[in-house]
Amino acid sequence: MKWMLVVLVGGVAPVNTDLVFDKFSDCLSAEAQMRQHYSDAFDAWDRVAAARIDRRSDYRKARDLEAKRLLSNVGTCVPHGGGDSVAPAEQPKPPAAPSQQPAAPSQPTPRP
């Protein structure tokens, strides 16, 4: 069975990464690397923000927002049923306009 890494942006909205792995352990390793990347990015931001933001309350608010933005994205490994080639998922088509009467030959309107 193959496994695909899916990222849940904000912990909710799934985003397909198109990263497919032969082993579950490889998928979990990729997810751990992704988490580490987000953690490193947050730490780098935190070091710069701590030096730049003067007021402690402003720093705390900004830090909370940045933590939610970066650290609420999580990855998960899901079974992938496709073969060697992965076809993109078909987008749902918008609903068609209400059907109109078939075009009949125009006839003049009777006048009284």
Side-chain angles (χ1 to χ4, degrees), residues 39-108:
S39 179
D40 292 345
F42 177 74
D43 290 342
W45 177 90
D46 193 37
R47 283 190 299 275
V48 171
R52 287 187 179 171
I53 299 175
D54 295 331
R55 293 177 49 193
R56 183 78 179 153
S57 62
D58 291 343
Y59 167 72
R60 270 198 319 266
K61 288 176 188 173
R63 188 174 195 276
D64 287 346
L65 287 173
E66 192 67 11
K68 285 179 185 174
R69 186 180 78 80
L70 284 174
L71 302 178
S72 64
N73 299 335
V74 294
T76 186
C77 296
V78 296
H80 184 266
D84 290 337
S85 63
V86 178
E90 185 176 321
Q91 295 292 329
K93 295 179 182 168
S99 62
Q100 297 177 352
Q101 300 267 340
S106 63
Q107 297 178 356

Side-chain angles (χ1 to χ4, degrees), residues 11-12 14 17 23-24 37-38 41 45 57 80 87 94:
V12 184
T17 63
K23 293 192 251 174
F24 184 64
H37 175 74
Y38 280 120
W45 177 90
S57 62
H80 184 266

